[in-house]
Amino acid sequence: MRTGDDGPEPNAGPQPRAGAGQRSGAGVHGGTQPHTGTAPHGGTGSGPPGHPAESGTAGRPAPAARAGRVAVSVVFAVHGMASGTFATRIPWLREHLELSPGWLGLALVFMTAGASAAMPLSARLAHRYGPRRALAAVSLACCAGLVLPPLAPALGWLCLALFVYGCGLGLMDVAMNAQGVRVEAEYGRSVMSGLHGLWSVGTLLGGAGGVVAAHAGLDGRWHLGAAAPVLAAVAVVAARWTPGEDDRGAELPAAGSGGEDEAEAPPRFALPSRGVLAIGLLGFCAVFAEGASMDWSGIYLADVTDAEPGLAASAYTAFACTMALARLSGDAVVRRFGPVATVRVGGVLATAGAALVVAARTPAAAVAGFALVGVGIAVVVPLCFAAAGRTVTAAPGQAIAGVATLAYASGLAAPAVVGWIAESTSLSVSFGVVTALLLGLVAGARVLRT
């Protein structure tokens, strides 16, 4: 096991085997600790129902563990594609309902509110029905909710539809990250960054499809109505191969916990513990910078550097692409240097990128700054979810829900806060605030030493 100033590599080293009558792997309910009973490269029942995992050989994960990783990767990509597909049809929604920017912004708040409200319920669903069935159900709900917004006849109905869609997004987000933590425990090494990288790839693919549909003049109702069942079918099938048992309440207590009676259902709502709150605040800083960059990078280039519309749009493209590439390669970096050092260096890069944005007066400098921000914050959220799943102060699913809720709150607040500050001062000052928050990644990275 690698040790040093930054602590051991996530999930590294041999793990004790579970005792009789106990399951192994990272659970999303029942208080099971992620590392219990999992050898570094062994499987723990991650194949489809009735197919137990086989032991890995020659330092390789078991076949069922590899199948579980592929399945969870597909679910991450589907979630990203749903998000990217919907984002490209927001202009259609605005024109279809003849909404002003202010009313559209209000409606979009309901989507984030729905996600934040539903996230704590994900752990209870997994506890009651099993992680596989819960993931399949919430994936179906998320994709079904994608159909509702374009069917709304007026603003009020749109707000309700976005709230329902947001609930599905939030439930699926927590469920798939909890399964990602289980896969990481079975592999015995970092895989969460790659999973989130595939989510980013999914958003790019969904966005590309949406751009094609928009240029073709395809009605948003037909586009989202056709995309939703395809995405749902892929996610539901993939969910059958993710880790866990389909049996109701199959996850048993961790070794030495005192018996099955202690595997109580997670509460519907619980305040996060101090450790979970610290991890969530680290994620808050990263997602704030992400939300600010996604929503304001194009406007920043247009207003501050006088960039042409096409060049202004390239700022978001640079940000999204560098983030996706950094996430896809991030697991190797984390395995080599550990999560704390990785986030600290990433924080330095992101801070330098944001400072470059603040100082930029030419489009090239601003695009380079946003690209650096994308690289620097890429692995922070995946590592926060992984650390939450390993915490001993709460059930993994409950801890992940707490971190995700804080991150979503940041994503909700960032665009509005940047706009308010810019209105009273300037966009450069707004991104000065973003720069200060990114310094929090450097200072707070130690909370990932779990």
Side-chain angles (χ1 to χ4, degrees), residues 23-24 43-48 51-54 64 132 182 186 242-245:
R23 277 191 43 78
S24 59
T44 57
S46 60
H51 293 268
E54 301 175 2
R132 279 200 191 114
R182 292 172 67 93
E186 291 183 348
T242 59
E245 297 291 345

Side-chain angles (χ1 to χ4, degrees), residues 59-89:
R60 290 171 56 83
R66 296 198 297 272
R69 181 179 181 179
V70 171
V72 175
S73 299
V74 170
V75 176
F76 268 82
V78 167
H79 191 279
M81 290 184 71
S83 301
T85 299
F86 174 76
T88 60
R89 302 323 305 258

Side-chain angles (χ1 to χ4, degrees), residues 204-234:
L204 293 173
L205 292 175
V211 169
V212 172
H215 277 294
L218 186 62
D219 188 289
R221 290 165 290 194
W222 287 103
H223 177 206
L224 297 184
V230 175
L231 294 175
V234 173

Side-chain angles (χ1 to χ4, degrees), residues 9-54:
E9 180 182 344
N11 304 321
Q15 305 293 333
R17 295 192 178 276
Q22 293 169 335
R23 277 191 43 78
S24 59
V28 295
H29 52 273
T32 303
Q33 297 179 19
H35 298 322
T36 303
T38 308
H41 303 293
T44 57
S46 60
H51 293 268
E54 301 175 2

Side-chain angles (χ1 to χ4, degrees), residues 37-406:
T38 308
H41 303 293
T44 57
S46 60
H51 293 268
E54 301 175 2
S55 299
T57 58
R60 290 171 56 83
R66 296 198 297 272
R69 181 179 181 179
V70 171
V72 175
S73 299
V74 170
V75 176
F76 268 82
V78 167
H79 191 279
M81 290 184 71
S83 301
T85 299
F86 174 76
T88 60
R89 302 323 305 258
I90 291 176
W92 181 90
L93 281 173
R94 183 180 66 177
E95 294 177 7
H96 180 64
L97 297 179
E98 298 180 348
L99 300 176
S100 68
W103 287 118
L104 177 62
L106 174 65
L108 293 175
V109 167
F110 278 81
M111 183 170 69
T112 306
S116 299
M119 280 177 172
L121 300 178
S122 185
R124 289 183 63 87
L125 291 174
H127 177 87
R128 183 168 183 177
Y129 300 107
R132 279 200 191 114
R133 289 179 178 175
L135 180 58
V138 299
S139 298
L140 181 61
C142 176
C143 295
L146 185 63
V147 178
L148 298 179
L151 299 178
L155 176 62
W157 289 104
L158 178 62
C159 291
L160 179 60
L162 288 174
F163 184 87
V164 173
Y165 174 51
C167 288
L169 279 174
L171 288 170
M172 187 177 177
D173 193 306
V174 174
M176 70 186 190
N177 275 287
Q179 289 292 67
V181 170
R182 292 172 67 93
V183 168
E184 187 169 274
E186 291 183 348
Y187 262 65
R189 60 178 185 264
S190 175
V191 301
M192 287 292 285
S193 181
L195 294 177
H196 281 258
L198 289 170
W199 182 91
S200 296
V201 171
T203 62
L204 293 173
L205 292 175
V211 169
V212 172
H215 277 294
L218 186 62
D219 188 289
R221 290 165 290 194
W222 287 103
H223 177 206
L224 297 184
V230 175
L231 294 175
V234 173
V236 169
V237 171
R240 286 180 53 81
W241 294 84
T242 59
E245 297 291 345
D246 276 336
D247 299 331
R248 175 177 172 176
E251 191 77 17
L252 299 181
S257 63
E260 184 175 356
D261 293 339
E262 293 185 10
E264 299 178 356
R268 290 183 176 86
F269 175 80
L271 293 175
S273 66
R274 183 177 299 178
V276 172
L277 181 61
I279 296 170
L281 289 176
L282 190 72
F284 183 98
C285 294
V287 175
F288 192 98
E290 181 179 354
S293 299
M294 289 177 64
D295 290 354
W296 287 96
S297 57
I299 297 174
Y300 192 96
L301 260 73
D303 290 1
V304 177
T305 70
D306 296 322
E308 296 291 330
L311 184 57
S314 68
Y316 170 72
T317 302
F319 171 82
C321 288
T322 56
M323 173 175 277
L325 290 173
R327 282 179 169 175
L328 290 172
S329 59
D331 288 319
V333 177
V334 173
R335 290 195 291 269
R336 176 66 178 85
F337 298 105
V340 178
T342 301
V343 170
R344 280 179 178 159
V345 173
V348 171
L349 289 175
T351 302
L356 179 58
V357 169
V358 172
R361 292 300 178 266
T362 63
V367 170
F370 282 114
L372 274 177
V373 173
V375 172
I377 66 174
V379 300
V380 178
V381 170
L383 289 178
C384 285
F385 281 131
R390 297 192 302 270
T391 184
V392 297
T393 58
Q398 182 182 339
I400 290 170
V403 170
T405 301
L406 283 169

